[in-house]
Amino acid sequence: MPSAVAPSATCWPEAHEQRRPGGRGRRRAAGAMSQRQVVQVFEQYQKARTQFVQMVAELATRPQNIETLQNVELSQAVVDAGAVPLLVLCIQEPEIALKRIAASALSDISKHSPELAQTVVDAGAIAHLAQMILNPDAKLKRQVLSALSQVAKHSVDLAEMVVEAEIFPVVLTCVKDKDEYVKKNACTLIREIAKHTPELSQLIVNTGGVAAVIDCIGSCKGNIRLPGIVMLGYVAAHSENLAMAVIISKGVAQLSVCLSEEPEDHIKAAAAWALGQIGRHTPEHARAVAVTNTLPVLLSLYMSTKSSEDLQEKSKKAMKTILQKCTYLPALEPFLYDAPPNILKHVVGQFSKVLPHDSKARRLFVTSGGLKKVQEIKAEPGSLLQEYINSINNCYPEEIVRYYSPGYSDILLQRLDSYQPIIN
């Protein structure tokens, strides 16, 4: 039979709490305490995590004045300690400050060697970094773009891994960013990808990257321009078609502005180098550079004692490579009067190639004073310069060459003195 005895009061919580006054209040207090403990533990975790990332970032870069090898060793120690996967977790956290520090640390680790960069890639950082390219926080974007650049710079494979994270065309929005350092770092990233292969450069052209970088160069000044200038040079260096893409996008005009207007020699030197990479391919490429009046500027920078040694060297090299392809004679003729002998021979060489095949150019060369100037050049017998002069002279009747040769007027005067008039 079922027991008729009622259950003990302890079987019912309500009865228990009624029987023990204050029980419910103690439970509420215990719950509040547990909640505080959970929050406290979470805060400790957040603080420890932030301290961890800050320490890693500091280790990766400190001290600033030690040699690169030591920096590599510090970064390697961070990697060996297993910190990279933790940094990748940190860039996925919601706090912006934590993302910035973690991205900065990954950038500093990646920059030293392909092996360290590969460790960052293997930890899955690239996909997460790529997703943050459009983050509204400018300081975070700077670090994200920097980290991707430091990975991409080392090799074709690493650059392709960055590209495969679908950073194009979204990264081009950063080239137009109002924050100048976001612009600079975006151009740096594109530069580090473009330098590796024609295929990667073509991808950049196809996504509008060259045009975007040229616009960026036009909208800023100084060192912010520098990565974009160099990027255009890398793209143009790969092939005739890629150089033509830079020309079509009005890159030559923008680089010419940089060459003329920038006060810093290292920026001028970069612009000179980039223009040389564009103009060195064919006569058409060289003419595109020459019509912007760039060649006289390069000559002036090469000749100036105020120019740095690097600027002089890059100006000379760019000028030579362009002149050796240039068949646009109006751009060449001023060099007959102003160029030093080591540049002059390239100019005369171009005239010797063009004049035999262009009757209009031959006539213009006489009427402009070019032929007369060539006769005044003192060349070593048997030298390449003398051969070029002989080739030019062979384009004209002997009496015309003699007429424009130095001293010929004196010979005529002597003949006049000894001439006996015929009297009827």
Side-chain angles (χ1 to χ4, degrees), residues 88-306:
V88 175
L89 286 174
C90 288
I91 61 173
Q92 299 172 62
E93 293 291 342
E95 297 92 334
I96 291 294
L98 192 60
K99 286 178 181 286
R100 288 178 194 159
I101 297 168
S104 175
L106 290 169
S107 176
D108 286 324
I109 291 167
S110 300
K111 70 183 178 185
H112 296 297
S113 71
E115 293 76 21
L116 286 168
Q118 187 65 53
T119 304
V120 171
V121 172
D122 292 343
I126 300 301
H128 297 295
L129 289 167
Q131 288 171 6
M132 292 189 286
I133 287 175
L134 295 181
N135 191 288
D137 183 77
K139 290 181 180 178
L140 176 59
K141 280 191 286 191
R142 293 180 195 174
Q143 300 300 341
V144 166
L145 293 165
S146 174
L148 292 170
S149 301
Q150 299 295 357
V151 171
K153 74 178 183 181
H154 291 292
S155 70
V156 176
D157 288 343
L158 288 168
E160 287 177 345
M161 287 178 186
V162 172
V163 170
E164 286 166 7
E166 298 182 349
I167 65 166
F168 290 103
V170 292
V171 73
L172 302 183
T173 61
C174 296
V175 174
K176 302 172 186 177
D177 199 275
K178 62 183 179 181
D179 183 279
E180 291 207 326
Y181 289 96
V182 170
K183 282 183 181 181
K184 182 181 179 183
N185 290 2
C187 288
T188 301
L189 172 55
I190 298 169
R191 178 194 73 192
E192 297 298 354
I193 293 168
K195 72 181 183 182
H196 290 294
T197 66
E199 291 76 19
L200 287 170
S201 283
Q202 188 64 59
L203 170 69
I204 292 166
V205 171
N206 293 347
T207 57
V210 165
V213 168
I214 291 168
D215 288 344
C216 178
I217 293 171
S219 68
C220 54
K221 302 288 182 184
N223 280 320
I224 306 298
R225 279 175 159 173
L226 188 56
I229 292 170
V230 178
M231 174 265 182
L232 294 178
Y234 280 140
V235 171
H238 285 305
S239 71
E240 292 179 17
N241 289 340
L242 287 166
M244 188 54 68
V246 176
I247 292 169
I248 291 168
S249 297
K250 298 182 171 51
V252 173
Q254 199 58 254
L255 289 169
S256 298
V257 169
C258 295
L259 186 71
S260 300
E261 293 184 358
E262 280 293 334
E264 297 290 337
D265 277 9
H266 69 283
I267 301 175
K268 287 179 181 287
W273 171 81
L275 287 162
Q277 299 307 310
I278 295 167
R280 70 183 178 85
H281 292 286
T282 70
E284 187 179 2
H285 291 79
R287 178 173 179 145
V289 176
V291 295
T292 62
N293 204 37
T294 292
L295 289 170
V297 178
L298 289 170
L299 178 62
S300 175
L301 292 170
Y302 167 57
M303 300 288 288
S304 174
T305 55
K306 294 180 180 178

Side-chain angles (χ1 to χ4, degrees), residues 397-408:
E398 185 180 345
E399 58 270 25
I400 291 181
V401 174
R402 196 162 56 241
Y403 178 79
Y404 287 107
S405 298
Y408 185 68

Side-chain angles (χ1 to χ4, degrees), residues 36-54:
R36 281 198 302 273
Q37 287 174 334
V38 170
V39 171
Q40 196 172 34
V41 168
F42 180 73
E43 287 175 347
Q44 288 173 344
Y45 162 71
Q46 294 284 71
K47 185 177 179 181
R49 187 184 54 175
T50 304
Q51 286 175 340
F52 157 74
V53 179
Q54 288 174 331

